[in-house]
Amino acid sequence: MNLIFLGAPGAGKGTQAEIVCEKLGIPAISTGNMLREAVKNQTAAGLAAKEYMDRGDLVPDDVVVGILKDRIAMDDAKKGFILDGFPRTVPQAETLDAMGVQIDKVIEIYVPDEKICARLSGRRVCEGCGNSYHVDFKPTKVEGVCDACGAAVVQRIDDKPETVLSRLETYKEKTAPLKDFYAAKGKLVTVEGQEEISETAKLTMAAIEG
Ligand code: ADP
Ligand code: ZN
């Protein structure tokens, strides 16, 4: 089963991808997490991506597509995967098609704009494993420490309020057109993001299975 999770920054696609991938036994592939890892390790891709990410702009397609191709070619992705944060532009979606990757379903997680800002300002991510948390909705057991790996949990530079608005604009302009792209193929299912993460997870599983 090959799935794409689509949604505005902060809609909760990463959180849902982490939950659903365990239920389905397939990896969640987050281009955002992979790019942050590349930045941390100062790889060529990371050095090329950093300034775009810090500004809240999209990283150039060739950089992201390179990273994604390598990841999809790995053994654990043979039985299926969830793409979180890719494709983010119509040309990226066309690249997936050109690679011969079959997509079974595209799950859009929808949250109204006014809720997005509150979600992003409370979001924290683990510097070690990339897991995401929220100070109110999904706190760590010990403050500032990742439940999964024990590394430090921090606010992302691009989750600062001044960058959030530009990321939302980028989403509307560049990524939202993917909804029509996949709806035309009959693959789009929309799930309304709920206050409770577990409620959204139930709706998401129902959308995948239905
Ligand atoms: P969010 O969904 O909350 O914006 P992500 O972790 O998915 O966060 O992405 C963080 C940043 O990484 C994006 O703002 C962008 O700069 C970059 N990025 C991630 N995926 C892509 C992609 N498919 N194409 C271009 N840039 C990307
Ligand atoms: Zn961690």
Side-chain angles (χ1 to χ4, degrees):
M1 173 110 73
N2 296 336
L3 302 168
I4 291 171
F5 280 18
L6 200 64
K13 23 177 220 313
T15 304
Q16 293 303 322
E18 283 164 20
I19 297 173
V20 170
C21 75
E22 271 188 32
K23 293 200 167 140
L24 298 179
I26 55 179
I29 298 180
S30 159
T31 45
N33 284 357
M34 286 190 288
L35 286 167
R36 278 185 287 280
E37 185 71 21
V39 169
K40 196 170 78 183
N41 297 330
Q42 303 193 336
T43 66
L47 293 172
K50 183 174 180 355
E51 54 169 319
Y52 297 95
M53 295 177 74
D54 287 352
R55 280 200 306 267
D57 287 342
L58 294 183
V59 172
D61 285 349
D62 57 331
V63 177
V64 185
V65 167
I67 287 186
L68 183 89
K69 276 191 177 158
D70 291 348
R71 180 63 188 87
I72 281 188
M74 289 168 73
D75 265 355
D76 68 335
K78 297 277 184 286
K79 53 189 192 288
F81 47 77
I82 299 174
L83 295 183
D84 161 20
F86 191 98
R88 236 180 170 95
T89 61
V90 171
Q92 288 181 10
E94 288 165 348
T95 302
L96 266 187
D97 282 348
M99 286 163 62
V101 174
Q102 296 295 324
I103 298 299
D104 297 294
K105 269 186 191 170
V106 177
I107 311 291
E108 181 209 1
I109 302 185
Y110 172 75
V111 171
D113 280 1
E114 56 272 20
K115 294 199 180 153
I116 292 283
C117 291
R119 287 184 177 217
L120 288 176
S121 61
R123 175 158 75 177
R124 301 292 182 268
V125 298
C126 171
E127 285 184 320
C129 71
N131 270 11
S132 56
Y133 298 92
H134 191 286
V135 291
D136 300 319
F137 309 128
K138 191 190 171 191
T140 51
K141 291 196 184 87
V142 178
E143 201 184 316
V145 179
C146 177
D147 295 352
C149 78
V153 167
V154 298
Q155 183 172 45
R156 279 166 42 180
I157 295 172
D158 62 344
D159 278 346
K160 304 256 149 75
E162 49 289 11
T163 320
V164 164
L165 285 178
S166 96
R167 283 164 60 209
L168 274 176
E169 272 166 33
T170 304
Y171 177 76
K172 284 190 184 142
E173 186 190 326
K174 306 254 173 68
T175 308
L178 287 175
K179 290 193 256 176
D180 288 341
F181 182 93
Y182 286 114
K185 297 177 190 280
K187 304 216 156 143
L188 185 76
V189 190
T190 298
V191 168
E192 277 216 36
Q194 307 293 308
E195 296 293 329
E196 283 289 326
I197 291 170
S198 60
E199 286 302 311
T200 311
K202 274 185 210 152
L203 296 175
T204 302
M205 281 307 293
I208 292 167
E209 283 159 356

